Amino acid sequence: TGPFGFAQAQAAQNAALVAHVMRWADGGADRRGLELFAGAGNFTRGLSRRLGQLLAVETDARAVVGLQQLAARIGVQGGARVVVQREPAAAALARAAAADERYDLVLLDPPRAGLGVGAARDLARVAGGRTIYVACDPATMVRDLAVLITHGHRILDLAILDMMPMTPEVEAVAVLAAGSGGAT
């Protein structure tokens, strides 16, 4: 990721986070996925093994170059078709919602500010199956989840992973399913 890119500080905790997320990343060769705030590809490789098509969205230019290199390696290895797009997540969601696009699996790992209410509304429209929301700030995640629940998504699982023992640093992982009903 380079000296200015983001990476989890603890390799073992990051491996546990990725493993937890991948347990919930249902897929199939005929399924389309959307990864928002893809960064340097912490989840991209695992997602590419579960989907036929993956759109990875990121704004950081250095991370996008790394993602493009990763996508090329995945293609050579016979994995999913991974398309990398440099664009803010909110803009990608707005465009997808306006075009009535639907994704079978959406994974997002936003910065502390979260997704935001408007983008969460757009996410509710384009997420047609499972959504996995990874958050370093549970408060902003709760704000965004309230929007998704209001628009018919329901919580299947919620986990908190201790990313740096003896500190308040955690990652919250919410798994949601599109469809009627509230939280379960």
Side-chain angles (χ1 to χ4, degrees):
T1 61
F4 301 106
F6 175 80
Q8 293 291 346
Q10 303 287 332
Q13 280 82 351
N14 185 60
L17 172 65
V18 171
H20 179 78
V21 166
M22 291 307 134
R23 276 194 292 277
W24 286 99
D26 57 343
D30 61 334
R31 296 174 59 90
R32 294 178 62 219
L34 173 63
E35 182 183 10
L36 301 168
F37 308 98
N42 196 35
F43 299 108
T44 308
R45 184 180 309 276
L47 291 175
S48 73
R49 293 179 182 137
R50 289 168 169 74
L51 300 163
Q53 217 174 21
L54 176 63
L55 173 60
V57 177
E58 174 56 48
T59 59
D60 182 79
R62 288 185 196 108
V64 166
V65 169
L67 278 170
Q68 289 168 333
Q69 293 168 347
L70 176 61
R73 284 193 306 273
I74 288 167
V76 167
Q77 296 167 357
R81 181 171 163 260
V82 178
V83 175
V84 178
Q85 188 167 300
R86 184 173 183 211
E87 181 176 28
L93 285 168
R95 187 181 33 72
D100 288 324
E101 292 181 26
R102 300 287 266 176
Y103 292 91
D104 301 302
L105 177 65
V106 177
L107 185 141
L108 63 151
D109 186 6
R112 289 197 183 281
L115 187 59
V117 172
R121 274 194 296 268
D122 289 335
L123 174 59
R125 290 183 57 199
V126 304
R130 186 165 287 173
T131 300
I132 303 171
Y133 191 131
V134 180
C136 58
D137 186 342
T140 59
M141 181 177 78
V142 167
R143 175 203 64 211
D144 298 341
L145 292 181
V147 174
L148 292 168
I149 291 167
T150 298
H151 287 86
H153 294 255
R154 66 187 189 290
I155 296 174
L156 301 175
D157 187 68
L158 180 61
I160 305 294
L161 286 87
D162 187 358
M163 298 307 288
M164 287 196 266
M166 308 293 286
T167 75
E169 301 304 319
V170 299
E171 290 283 346
V173 181
V175 180
L176 298 97
S180 60
T184 56

